[in-house]
Amino acid sequence: MLRALSAISAYRHGDESVSEKDIPWLHYLVSAEERVVNLERIQSLQELANANPVLDYVERTLEVLDGLKLSFWVREILEEVLVWSETAKGGTLRQRLQWQKAGINLFVHNIGSAQIYDTFVQAEGMDQRAVTTTAASAPVPFQGRTSVIHTLIETHGLIGQYIRGEVPFQGNLPLLQLVHQGLLAPGELASLLMPLNQCIITAVSPQLWEEVRSEVEDLIGYIADGAGPGRLTLEDRLRRLRAGSIRRGENFDDGYKQVEQSVSTAAAAGARVDGSAPSAPHSRDLETLLRPLEDATLWYVESALQDFTLEEVVKVLLLAVKEEPSAQARGVNHISFERLMNAMYYDYRGMKKINVYKKRIIEKYLRELSFEDIVTGRSRRSNQHLAHRVERSGSLADTVFFTFEFSAAAEKLIEFCVEAEKSPLYEKAVLLLFDLFELRRDAYDRFHNEEDYLADMNATADYKSIMLDYITGERVIDIGPGGGVMLDLIEQHLPDTKPIGIDISANVIEALQRKKQLGNHRWEVQRGDALNLKDYVEPGSIGTVIFSSILHELYSYIEWNGSKFNPDTVGAALRSAFEVLAPGGRIIIRDGIMTEPDGLMRRIRFLDGEDREWLRRYAKDFAGRPIRYELTNDGEAIMPVNDAMEFLYTYTWGEEAYVHEVQEQFGYFTPSEYESFIRQTLGEEAQIIETRHFLQEGYTEALAGKVVFTDEQGSEVPLPDSTCLIVIEKKDSGRRAADVTGASQS
């Protein structure tokens, strides 16, 4: 076993014969009071309190090294490199302050670690303790060994970071000096670099090593031969930085072309406004504007910005360049996004989660900041509670830090939202956040569990497939497409139609665009407002508009004439859809209903007596309408049937969904009221060609172990119908609606 592994093992087992203070690198790694780690690589922030991820990573690199068949001198040097390469992430707070005063760059960890190693070598007077041993068989003279080790630490990980796009290839040039100075032959350099990178990358992920091994070998060949692969274009570098997003479905090529066009248009508009002379062709294109980044390293950019769109990332990079317009002249070699990365994550139920509150606010900030504003240097704060910052550290002249800075009030409010996530205070907390940053309330109703929500939507294909029989026309709009189930069904079963999903939620559209790219789907999605469809499609051009379990959400979340839970919101949505229909086109509604007669009374017997508190809590929190109930002496609840069902719809989903479901009213019309409302809203031009109602599958099974549902006399009765299917057709003056109906069903 390697000596370093033995030392770590002894430390972990509390062996008092091994003091980490006698092993400086181990002392630095275990004494860290603040964990300096890449949050991309951990699953929970709680790991930082209960473990030492940096020491764990170093141990994994050494374990890989210990398992490789290498010559003694290679193993010896690489062991020394690996134990020192993460030391810039360690040390006590006092030690780190002393290092910073001495000019050690703790924020560019490979350079800082090499500087810490140099400090140790100098303190030891370059005696034999500067290396593990002085093996006589080693080809490197002792006086040059510290230079070799220093250079390998200084370039530690840069090949992998070049592959990721974070580092230009020039960062590896110090390795060539080892050959030029005669310290290593080209073959010897390669014999060190290949196992070193295998240790570094395999310790992150063995699968990742297998994926990049061939490219790593090619790059090491370039280095050993004193050559290079050539400079990456900005497009290629961004493509590397977006590798994770591309794997999740980002259409990089189309996105990059759109960004290029937007930047070019913005630059031309800026030139007209400021009266500057016409520029040479492409002199103000995206590649030129971001040229200051050509030789700069971009630390943690992927970790900090992987959940943002390509357009948003380019805006961030342009902001960084504009704040440092002469970056190269001023000696800026490193741009760090570490502070932003650290601010973008927190623990949610024991798992590391993106701080979606901050993400949505930053998205709005960047959306309101046009490319023209950035290119012309007229970027402005759209909200006093958020600003971007590009800062230098006094002791690190070649390093700048980019982040978004929230006001103290905004930070506290976001913390309040986090704390309120599992309580009735959540809605109030989020509404305060909406008001502070002027967010649309209906656009951001699900801050959490969006992935779970979309997965649930993807599991509902069976009951949505019944709507396929009523679709007509070549262009079909699915309002609120969720996980894309209906779009998939239309694509699979109706090949002559063009499905279009429209949703107000940015994250739903982003998820669907990724799904479209990964699955090569032909359907389209776009962000839009269901109440103003004519702004997105031409009136009279649509065959079918589908509202699948979405009208009750519009009813519940959107304020119309100053109030939510307003039937006029449903009316506005129906008129919006009807306006874009072609003659003979249809609106298909699948949504919640109240049962008839609505005066029936029902009893709910809770099988777990503690669950009566659910009802008390729900009646207090629900804002849709007053929920009436009476608790009997034996703990049963007597309620009007529709109040009972409205409660049970939320109760069924459980605690996890409570904060969302309590905000939604599922049933808002009885079947007869719905028909009357449609006729009154859309007039004689609309004909209802299908109306039916049923109990949605799953409710009976979900409630079977929780409640007994009875009539007033205590006799068990089935749950009433929960859901309706209504099809409305826009009359075609050229043919009778009955003929159209027959044709669609034939």
Side-chain angles (χ1 to χ4, degrees):
M1 179 184 287
L2 296 173
R3 294 182 182 182
L5 278 175
S6 297
I8 293 173
S9 177
Y11 161 75
R12 292 191 186 281
H13 289 89
D15 187 342
E16 295 182 1
S17 66
V18 177
S19 171
E20 75 272 10
K21 291 187 178 180
D22 294 332
I23 308 173
W25 59 265
L26 182 57
H27 172 65
Y28 297 148
L29 294 180
V30 303
S31 64
E33 298 168 12
E34 179 182 359
R35 305 301 185 199
V36 183
V37 297
N38 186 340
L39 296 184
E40 182 183 13
R41 299 301 183 193
I42 66 171
Q43 297 300 312
S44 169
L45 300 187
Q46 292 178 353
E47 294 176 29
L48 304 184
N50 303 325
N52 188 331
V54 177
L55 180 63
D56 295 344
Y57 171 74
V58 171
E59 186 175 28
R60 291 197 301 273
T61 65
L62 292 167
E63 288 170 344
V64 177
L65 177 64
D66 199 38
L68 298 177
K69 294 181 179 180
L70 302 169
S71 64
F72 189 83
W73 76 271
V74 170
R75 184 185 305 274
E76 176 191 63
I77 287 179
L78 294 188
E79 181 178 4
E80 198 75 9
V81 170
L82 292 174
V83 299
W84 285 97
S85 289
E86 301 292 324
T87 51
K89 298 177 181 178
T92 64
L93 293 179
R94 182 175 181 180
Q95 178 70 70
R96 293 178 68 79
L97 288 173
Q98 291 172 343
W99 283 338
Q100 287 181 1
K101 272 188 180 179
I104 291 175
N105 192 336
L106 299 180
F107 300 97
V108 182
H109 302 119
N110 58 309
I111 292 176
S113 295
Q115 292 170 327
I116 293 171
Y117 171 76
D118 289 346
T119 301
F120 165 70
V121 169
Q122 293 164 10
E124 295 297 311
M126 295 188 68
D127 65 13
Q128 291 187 0
R129 283 179 292 172
V131 292
T132 307
T133 182
T134 59
S137 61
V140 185
F142 173 70
Q143 292 299 320
R145 293 168 70 79
T146 54
S147 294
V148 171
I149 293 169
H150 165 93
T151 304
L152 291 175
I153 296 172
E154 183 182 36
T155 57
H156 171 268
L158 296 190
I159 288 177
Q161 286 158 333
Y162 168 79
I163 292 173
R164 285 170 63 102
E166 293 181 334
V167 176
F169 189 76
Q170 290 72 16
N172 292 286
L173 293 182
L175 293 166
L176 300 181
Q177 296 302 311
L178 298 177
V179 176
H180 294 158
Q181 294 169 9
L183 295 175
L184 291 173
E188 292 168 344
L189 178 59
S191 69
L192 286 167
L193 290 178
M194 195 65 187
L196 176 60
N197 280 276
Q198 183 174 353
C199 293
I200 293 167
I201 298 172
T202 302
V204 173
S205 164
Q207 180 183 356
L208 178 61
W209 169 246
E210 293 304 321
E211 291 174 0
V212 302
R213 181 173 189 162
S214 177
E215 187 172 2
V216 169
E217 194 167 5
D218 290 342
L219 293 169
I220 289 173
Y222 282 124
I223 294 170
D225 293 341
R231 290 184 182 273
L232 292 175
T233 64
L234 173 69
E235 182 177 358
D236 287 338
R237 194 169 178 189
L238 279 173
R239 190 189 306 276
R240 290 172 181 264
L241 286 170
R242 301 297 290 173
S245 301
I246 292 169
R247 283 194 297 272
R248 294 191 298 273
E250 178 177 274
N251 187 334
F252 178 87
D253 292 329
D254 286 354
Y256 187 81
K257 289 176 185 176
Q258 292 172 9
V259 170
E260 269 193 319
Q261 181 60 47
S262 298
V263 170
S264 177
T265 302
R272 289 194 298 271
V273 170
D274 62 27
S276 58
S279 301
H282 307 298
S283 65
R284 300 187 74 177
D285 61 12
L286 182 58
E287 188 98 23
T288 303
L289 290 168
L290 289 179
R291 186 160 293 157
L293 301 181
E294 192 171 59
D295 294 321
T297 58
L298 302 173
W299 297 107
Y300 298 106
V301 64
E302 185 175 12
S303 305
L305 297 171
Q306 61 184 333
D307 289 294
F308 290 86
T309 66
L310 176 62
E311 178 179 317
E312 290 160 352
V313 171
V314 170
K315 284 185 176 181
V316 166
L317 295 177
L318 285 170
L319 288 171
V321 168
K322 284 297 179 179
E323 294 291 335
E324 291 286 342
S326 55
Q328 291 170 317
R330 297 180 62 185
V332 173
N333 297 319
H334 311 286
I335 300 178
S336 174
F337 294 84
E338 184 176 11
R339 295 174 183 174
L340 177 59
M341 175 190 72
N342 291 338
M344 290 305 297
Y345 295 99
Y346 75 105
D347 262 310
Y348 178 72
R349 297 200 168 190
M351 293 295 292
K352 181 194 70 177
K353 296 283 286 188
I354 186 75
N355 191 318
V356 74
Y357 309 102
K358 289 186 175 180
K359 180 176 183 284
R360 292 300 173 211
I361 295 164
I362 292 171
E363 286 171 340
K364 180 175 183 289
Y365 179 91
L366 292 172
R367 189 165 56 250
E368 293 175 348
L369 200 57
S370 70
F371 278 115
E372 185 177 342
D373 290 335
I374 300 171
V375 169
T376 59
R378 295 197 300 267
S379 57
R380 60 190 184 278
R381 291 180 68 165
S382 59
N383 190 293
Q384 62 178 327
H385 295 288
L386 178 63
H388 65 275
R389 290 275 184 264
V390 182
E391 299 175 334
R392 287 177 180 251
S393 172
S395 60
L396 302 173
D398 69 340
T399 306
V400 297
F401 303 87
F402 183 97
T403 192
F404 287 96
E405 186 176 89
F406 290 82
S407 70
E411 288 281 5
K412 292 294 184 184
L413 187 50
I414 291 170
E415 289 177 19
F416 178 39
C417 289
V418 170
E419 291 300 318
E421 280 169 356
K422 297 179 285 293
S423 78
L425 288 173
Y426 179 74
E427 181 182 10
K428 295 178 181 178
V430 171
L431 291 180
L432 288 172
L433 197 66
F434 289 156
D435 291 339
L436 191 68
F437 288 97
E438 299 176 344
L439 296 171
R440 279 193 57 159
R441 298 182 181 188
D442 57 308
Y444 302 97
D445 60 289
R446 285 185 176 87
F447 273 101
H448 276 294
N449 296 321
E450 191 66 36
E451 299 88 353
D452 294 341
Y453 166 69
L454 295 178
D456 287 342
M457 295 301 100
N458 284 337
T460 58
D462 288 345
Y463 72 70
K464 290 195 173 190
S465 63
I466 63 175
M467 291 183 280
L468 293 173
D469 294 337
Y470 299 95
I471 290 175
T472 189
E474 295 181 0
R475 302 178 73 202
V476 180
I477 291 178
D478 183 19
I479 301 295
V485 173
M486 199 68 216
L487 298 175
D488 288 342
L489 288 171
I490 297 170
E491 181 176 273
Q492 293 164 13
H493 297 284
L494 301 173
D496 294 330
T497 64
K498 179 181 179 181
I500 305 166
I502 294 182
D503 202 294
I504 195 67
S505 176
N507 48 341
V508 168
I509 295 300
E510 289 170 15
L512 286 172
Q513 286 172 335
R514 292 193 295 269
K515 178 180 177 179
K516 172 182 168 64
Q517 177 72 6
L518 289 173
N520 195 29
H521 294 287
R522 62 179 174 83
W523 42 253
E524 301 290 339
V525 291
Q526 66 181 96
R527 194 173 182 208
D529 186 349
L531 305 187
N532 294 287
L533 290 176
K534 67 179 185 303
D535 293 342
Y536 313 100
V537 296
E538 184 180 351
S541 67
I542 301 300
T544 305
V545 178
I546 299 171
F547 292 99
S548 180
S549 201
I550 198 70
L551 283 175
H552 77 273
E553 293 197 1
L554 301 180
Y555 173 81
S556 301
Y557 288 113
I558 296 180
E559 289 190 2
W560 190 265
N561 294 330
S563 64
K564 294 191 295 184
F565 304 101
N566 188 339
D568 290 343
T569 307
V570 178
L574 294 177
R575 285 191 295 272
S576 170
F578 204 71
E579 187 174 14
V580 300
L581 287 182
R586 294 171 178 174
I587 296 173
I588 303 175
I589 300 169
R590 182 196 172 281
D591 211 7
I593 54 162
M594 297 193 292
T595 192
E596 293 176 311
D598 59 7
L600 293 173
M601 300 297 290
R602 290 291 180 258
R603 287 175 176 259
I604 297 175
R605 184 190 314 145
F606 294 97
L607 299 181
D608 183 345
E610 297 292 325
D611 283 0
R612 288 193 297 272
E613 295 306 314
W614 262 82
L615 178 56
R616 289 193 178 96
R617 177 183 173 192
Y618 178 82
K620 180 181 178 182
D621 295 340
F622 183 63
R625 64 173 188 266
I627 298 296
R628 295 171 292 163
Y629 70 97
E630 175 188 346
L631 289 177
T632 65
N633 291 334
D634 56 3
E636 290 188 357
I638 303 175
M639 306 178 66
V641 62
N642 286 311
D643 288 354
M645 289 305 298
E646 195 64 51
F647 161 68
L648 289 176
Y649 296 142
T650 295
Y651 177 70
T652 301
W653 288 98
E655 185 69 29
E656 177 74 15
Y658 179 83
V659 293
H660 301 302
E661 296 297 329
V662 75
Q663 300 177 57
E664 298 180 8
Q665 181 170 324
F666 189 57
Y668 46 94
F669 290 134
T670 65
S672 59
E673 287 173 341
Y674 223 140
E675 290 191 40
S676 176
F677 180 82
I678 290 168
R679 292 190 175 95
Q680 181 179 349
T681 300
L682 300 180
E684 294 183 358
E685 196 178 356
Q687 181 174 0
I688 299 174
I689 63 171
E690 179 68 71
T691 177
R692 60 170 119 152
H693 42 89
F694 49 90
L695 177 64
Q696 182 173 316
E697 185 178 349
Y699 277 126
T700 300
E701 294 77 9
L703 291 169
K706 295 182 176 182
V707 301
V708 176
F709 193 73
T710 73
D711 60 19
E712 284 189 89
Q713 288 72 44
S715 299
E716 195 166 347
V717 294
L719 298 173
D721 289 348
S722 62
T723 308
C724 67
L725 176 69
I726 301 174
V727 182
I728 308 164
E729 187 168 275
K730 189 173 188 177
K731 289 183 179 179
D732 185 347
S733 58
R735 57 178 179 165
R736 293 181 303 166
D739 294 337
V740 177
T741 304
S744 71
Q745 296 176 342
S746 62

